[in-house]
Amino acid sequence: MDTITYDVVVIGAGPVGENVVDRVAQGGLGAAIVERDLVGGECSYWACMPTKALLRSAAALRAARQVPGAREAVTGDLDVAAVLRRRDSFASDWKDDGQASWLEQVGVPLYRGHGRIRSARIVEVTGKDGSTTLLTARHAVVVATGSGALVPDVEGLRRAAPWTSREAVAASAVPRRLAIIGGGVVASEMATAFAGLGASVTMLARDGVLPSAEPFAGERVVESLREAGVSVRLGAEAGSVKRADDGTVFITLADGEQVEADELLVAIGRTPNTEDVGVETVGLTPGAWLTVDDTLRVVGEDGTPIGDGWLYAAGDVNRRVLLTHQGKYQARAVGDVIVARAKSETIDDGPWGRHAATADERAVPQVVFTEPEIASVGLTAAAAEAAGLWIRVIDYDLAATAGSSLQAEGYQGHARMVVDEDRKVIVGFTLVGPDVAELLHAATIAVVGEVPLDRLWHAVPAFPTVSEVWLRLLEAYGR
């Protein structure tokens, strides 16, 4: 059995693992990375990139139809085959040659196979041919194995072979009827995408649509989905599922009503990919989320780091924030702190320190690419109140800005600013409307920088843009 030693060994070559080894290499340490599937992970092939490719064509068509002059130039409907081809190209046709080549360019060896922690600082890699290699880490092992779709224990559901987000995103054809169990981000985006591609969509949203967002955001999305022909069933719960011999899926609801579909997508949450990573060798539970400290070291039930602190977890697997960009943010912190500890440098792990992932708790940005888009950062009003903050909520109609009237006829949108009245800083910001994703980073900077409102008053938005909403919100606050 081959045994090879590196400074750092990373299990999982998704965007999180890639960023860890990049930062480690930039810091002068040697790293190796292990991947059992495709280099680039979920985001590259079954999530962020291909999902947005599925959504973008319909969004562009809607935008053109909302502008007189452009509207008259649109003479046809979406070319579904072309949309799917474009999706395929953004998923690199599910080949990872390009990303594997990048690892080679930065000098990081790739071990293809299943990585498991065998003991302290030792990772066993089993290749597809059954060969085994032992990788020893001088300083750290990082688990960056991500998460998978959660399939609940509903009678008959697994036997019915439902789609998860992977099958939906990689679908080679659009089903005539698609049922979706769930009302979160994945469910809402896929309902938007497949309705735009011509499917008849039924959404079974037991807990509502986008329940973690500001209430007005979910309400706007429900309204838009229904206008697009989606049957949104709020409060509906699947009691049992059966797939007939002809492929038809029958979903019996808790109240006895039955829904028929050609395909069923389950999108109710995620589960950690820790079932077979060897965490039991260090006293942890396989299949459970990994708890970490502020520098992303894995800790036990007593809150202290495992062993002498050699084990780290970054990305979805630690459950702090299940978003690719936050996972990459964590990866940068992890890579930098591993290098700092290896070189006995000072650790900057206080709030907003270089080696702490503070934004995970205070300033998480997220865009939901529905129609309309939902862009948010920081706390909702309800979350801020639950955190014990004394807040003031300022709302404004985005359609009242001059820029919105130029962007689209009949523009509809909304903005909310949540202010911590004790410190006079913004702790939450939500935008709902067409193309609001590109407005989000300004709010993120305001929240992360804890910019006082009296200073924000001097950040003058360009006219005529939708960003003028900042001025209007500050005016409303000052009244």
Side-chain angles (χ1 to χ4, degrees):
M1 185 182 298
D2 294 331
T3 303
I4 309 171
T5 299
Y6 297 93
D7 291 319
V8 180
V9 176
V10 178
I11 306 175
V16 176
E18 289 177 317
N19 275 268
V20 171
V21 296
D22 186 39
R23 300 298 286 198
V24 165
Q26 289 184 40
L29 300 185
I33 197 163
V34 182
E35 179 54 56
R36 66 179 180 179
D37 205 338
L38 296 178
V39 176
E42 202 79 7
C43 178
S44 297
Y45 307 103
W46 300 284
C48 319
M49 296 303 290
T51 59
K52 304 316 169 279
L54 280 177
L55 287 156
R56 178 57 190 161
S57 297
L61 182 59
R62 283 193 298 269
R65 287 174 171 165
Q66 289 176 324
V67 180
R71 174 191 300 146
E72 288 74 15
V74 178
T75 58
D77 292 322
L78 280 182
D79 183 332
V80 174
V83 173
L84 297 182
R85 286 195 300 271
R86 184 169 188 263
R87 181 275 318 272
D88 293 351
S89 70
F90 274 95
S92 301
D93 293 309
W94 292 275
K95 298 176 183 177
D96 66 359
D97 299 1
Q99 301 216 41
S101 175
W102 175 81
L103 287 173
E104 185 177 348
Q105 290 172 22
V106 298
V108 174
L110 168 63
Y111 290 85
R112 291 191 181 273
H114 193 106
R116 300 177 185 83
I117 298 168
R118 182 165 175 173
S119 57
R121 291 188 174 84
I122 296 177
V123 174
E124 179 182 84
V125 183
T126 304
K128 291 183 179 179
D129 60 358
S131 61
T132 303
T133 303
L134 292 183
L135 306 179
T136 300
R138 294 186 185 92
H139 299 293
V141 172
V142 182
V143 179
T145 49
S147 64
L150 173 64
V151 179
D153 292 325
V154 173
E155 181 185 344
L157 180 58
R158 289 183 176 86
R159 291 193 302 275
W163 280 0
T164 66
S165 54
R166 280 199 168 199
E167 289 77 22
V169 171
S172 58
V174 177
R176 184 172 65 87
R177 300 169 300 175
L178 174 66
I180 301 175
I181 296 177
V185 174
V186 173
S188 299
E189 289 189 344
M190 289 298 95
T192 302
F194 279 92
L197 293 170
S200 174
V201 179
T202 300
M203 194 172 177
L204 307 175
R206 185 191 66 181
D207 301 321
V209 171
L210 301 177
S212 297
E214 293 283 11
F216 65 83
E219 291 166 6
R220 291 286 181 107
V221 171
V222 169
E223 181 182 347
S224 176
L225 286 171
R226 285 174 171 163
E227 288 176 356
V230 176
S231 175
V232 182
R233 311 289 293 278
L234 301 176
E237 182 175 5
S240 64
V241 178
K242 181 178 181 180
R243 187 182 290 270
D245 293 340
D246 65 357
T248 302
V249 181
F250 297 91
I251 305 104
T252 302
L253 305 184
D255 63 4
E257 184 182 354
Q258 196 168 77
V259 175
E260 295 185 21
D262 299 298
E263 292 294 349
L264 170 63
L265 166 62
V266 178
I268 64 163
R270 308 288 291 177
T271 186
N273 290 331
T274 61
E275 188 64 45
D276 192 18
V277 185
V279 294
E280 67 277 6
T281 64
V282 293
L284 301 175
T285 304
W289 302 98
L290 301 181
T291 304
V292 296
D293 65 13
D294 288 340
T295 61
L296 290 311
R297 290 182 302 187
V298 177
V299 298
E301 291 184 3
D302 61 356
T304 60
I306 295 295
D308 59 0
W310 57 270
L311 184 62
Y312 294 75
D316 281 14
V317 75
N318 64 33
R319 206 183 193 179
R320 286 167 68 99
V321 185
L322 277 66
L323 292 168
T324 296
H325 47 271
Q326 289 302 122
K328 291 163 71 173
Y329 162 73
Q330 292 177 16
R332 294 190 291 272
V334 165
D336 288 351
V337 78
I338 289 172
V339 171
R341 286 184 170 130
K343 296 181 177 180
S344 299
E345 297 174 349
T346 300
I347 305 304
D348 184 11
D349 59 355
W352 304 114
R354 183 177 181 84
H355 303 132
T358 308
D360 285 348
E361 299 174 352
R362 304 193 195 181
V364 175
Q366 182 175 19
V367 177
V368 185
F369 291 88
T370 46
E371 171 60 31
E373 288 179 351
I374 311 298
S376 63
V377 63
L379 303 175
T380 62
E385 288 183 337
L389 299 180
W390 173 36
I391 64 168
R392 182 176 169 192
V393 176
I394 305 297
D395 289 295
Y396 194 78
D397 181 2
L398 274 181
T401 63
S404 67
S405 62
L406 290 168
Q407 182 161 337
E409 191 176 70
Y411 187 105
Q412 293 185 358
H414 193 86
R416 169 168 288 182
M417 179 172 75
V418 181
V419 178
D420 178 344
E421 286 288 81
D422 286 321
R423 295 183 297 142
K424 302 298 183 184
V425 298
I426 299 170
V427 294
F429 204 94
T430 297
L431 295 151
V432 177
D435 301 319
V436 294
E438 300 303 331
L439 300 177
L440 180 60
H441 198 55
T444 302
I445 292 170
V447 173
V448 171
E450 299 177 334
V451 184
L453 292 186
D454 58 0
R455 178 58 62 88
L456 275 179
W457 181 255
H458 298 281
V460 182
F463 183 86
T465 67
V466 184
S467 291
E468 192 182 17
V469 68
W470 281 94
L471 173 59
R472 303 308 173 203
L473 286 165
L474 291 169
E475 286 177 334
Y477 179 82
R479 292 191 186 119

